[in-house]
Amino acid sequence: MSEFSFTDHSHRRFNPLTQSWVLCSPHRAKRPWLGQTEEQSTETRPPYDPKCYLCPGNTRATGTRNEKYTSTCVFTNDYAAVHENQPMCTNTDIEQVTRSSSNDLFRVESVCGTCKVVCFSPRHDLTLPELSVEEIIKVVCAWQQVYADLSRNPEIKYVQLFENKGAVMGCSNPHPHGQAWALSHVPSEPAQEISSFRAYQKKHNACILCTYVEAELVNSKTESTNRIIVQNESFMVVVPFWATWPFETMIVAKSHVSSISEMSDAMTRDLASAIRELTIRYDNLFECSFPYSMGLHQAPTATHEDGVCCHLHLHFYPPLLRSKEVRKFLVGFEMMAEPQRDLTAEQAASRLRALSSVHYKSRV
């Protein structure tokens, strides 16, 4: 029997953050594709769209008029997923849908909170990779302010900053923007990460991501084990060893920083630079506006009791697989059993690392 090969043979990789496994099947990348392909928009967006609900000075669907902003702008979401004031759900309310009071089978919790929209810039046509570092710094500063402001509310237990880029990721408005959802509880995904942080700290007396950063710096010295795409003084952009999505990445703080509130001015600039470097490479991969869902994981709030064990990092989950027309689907086995990927983390990192840091639209 031949020797095991990570590029030819199936294997599982463990995700220590979520305590879950992903099946890697690199040989499947060779199979022919006759499935769904994504239609690519050929529309060129103008710098300003008078019909856009998010452009400066325009009227939104609810009748509220946007300020004529000239930089990053934040406002309350008109169609928020949660509300600040609503009645609590009682056992009597639960009986309306279960014919019994709350128990191990039928549990309900009332959720309160608020949602914000973060317009990255007044330009309707420029996504993050097309902004300058200085302009992305303003986005990061807006995140810091929103996170700090929402953390002051004692009813808020968690703040999630995120961006859905592209219609394929469910983005309902093409004007480049992100969101902030603030909730009265810590959601399942970050709660699992925090549990893993605590467990690793208890077992090893060390932070799991601090240890991971050190390990990947060592691994980067050999091409076959190098998963780092780019790095600077404060942040590392890496394809996680346990990545699920084809070109999934993390931006991880190199030092133990619990949240963006703790970042220095130098770290803020370094984070903006890392975001720009990564997203330019994403766009360059298939020479398109590369879709993804991105989110910051950090201390639930600036004052949360679990904050000390948290380590600031950003997850990028892009769906594209073979080209700008072919995307990855999490279906079948992946819904019923466990996630599966065709491309190894090392292969994905090598392809992203080899790409230019100059946006393809800017080439002469």
Side-chain angles (χ1 to χ4, degrees), residues 13-305:
R13 299 192 183 194
F14 183 67
N15 183 339
L17 294 179
T18 59
Q19 300 294 302
S20 60
W21 292 85
V22 57
L23 172 64
C24 298
S25 311
H27 54 284
R28 277 171 55 87
K30 303 171 185 176
R31 76 192 193 278
W33 182 266
L34 296 175
Q36 177 175 313
T37 57
E38 302 300 319
E39 290 187 11
Q40 294 299 304
S41 173
T42 57
E43 176 186 11
T44 300
R45 296 201 306 271
Y48 166 78
D49 184 348
K51 297 180 180 179
C52 170
Y53 294 131
L54 301 185
C55 276
N58 288 359
T59 301
R60 303 203 294 272
T62 56
T64 303
R65 183 174 292 276
N66 296 330
E67 62 178 275
K68 293 184 178 180
Y69 62 93
T70 58
S71 182
T72 304
C73 179
V74 179
F75 59 86
T76 300
N77 195 322
D78 296 324
Y79 299 97
V82 289
H83 302 287
E84 291 187 77
N85 297 304
Q86 68 175 37
M88 296 299 294
C89 183
T90 67
N91 277 335
T92 301
D93 297 318
I94 295 172
E95 289 171 4
Q96 297 178 31
V97 292
T98 67
R99 300 183 68 180
S100 64
S101 59
S102 181
N103 55 49
D104 288 345
L105 293 179
F106 303 107
R107 297 175 60 185
V108 178
E109 293 180 353
S110 181
V111 180
C112 296
T114 187
C115 299
K116 303 288 185 181
V117 175
V118 183
C119 292
F120 297 149
S121 86
R123 290 286 296 268
H124 184 76
D125 58 334
L126 298 182
T127 58
L128 283 178
E130 298 170 279
L131 298 179
S132 67
V133 170
E134 296 299 330
E135 289 169 319
I136 299 176
I137 287 174
K138 294 176 182 178
V139 175
V140 176
C141 288
W143 289 341
Q144 290 172 314
Q145 189 62 57
V146 168
Y147 178 77
D149 290 345
L150 293 173
S151 291
R152 294 189 187 98
N153 184 341
E155 301 302 318
I156 297 300
K157 305 303 180 186
Y158 184 78
V159 179
Q160 179 64 65
L161 298 159
F162 67 97
E163 177 197 7
N164 293 324
K165 182 189 176 192
V168 71
M169 301 309 293
C171 185
S172 60
N173 189 303
H175 191 114
H177 69 284
Q179 299 184 58
W181 289 16
L183 309 174
S184 55
H185 70 285
V186 180
S188 303
E189 191 77 8
Q192 178 58 66
E193 281 197 4
I194 292 171
S195 176
S196 298
F197 276 120
R198 285 199 304 257
Y200 193 92
Q201 181 71 40
K202 182 177 180 180
K203 182 177 181 180
H204 300 282
N205 194 30
C207 166
I208 190 170
L209 284 183
C210 286
T211 306
Y212 182 64
V213 165
E214 293 172 0
E216 290 293 34
L217 286 171
V218 173
N219 290 332
S220 68
K221 297 177 181 180
T222 304
E223 179 64 24
S224 63
T225 59
N226 186 10
R227 285 172 288 273
I228 297 176
I229 300 166
V230 67
Q231 60 181 312
N232 54 39
E233 190 69 25
S234 309
F235 289 92
M236 168 191 295
V237 183
V238 61
V239 176
F241 179 76
W242 52 82
T244 294
W245 293 94
F247 294 97
E248 177 182 333
T249 57
M250 281 199 309
I251 299 180
V252 192
K254 286 184 172 180
S255 58
H256 189 79
V257 178
S258 296
S259 74
I260 53 175
S261 290
E262 298 177 10
M263 295 196 309
S264 64
D265 289 345
M267 288 192 73
T268 299
R269 175 173 288 277
D270 282 350
L271 178 56
S273 177
I275 291 171
R276 187 170 188 269
E277 287 259 9
L278 171 61
T279 55
I280 284 176
R281 281 176 165 80
Y282 272 160
D283 277 12
N284 286 347
L285 182 62
F286 299 130
E287 295 196 349
C288 68
S289 186
F290 201 79
Y292 57 73
S293 279
M294 175 274 286
L296 283 74
H297 277 180
Q298 55 187 329
T301 65
T303 58
H304 198 279
E305 60 184 1

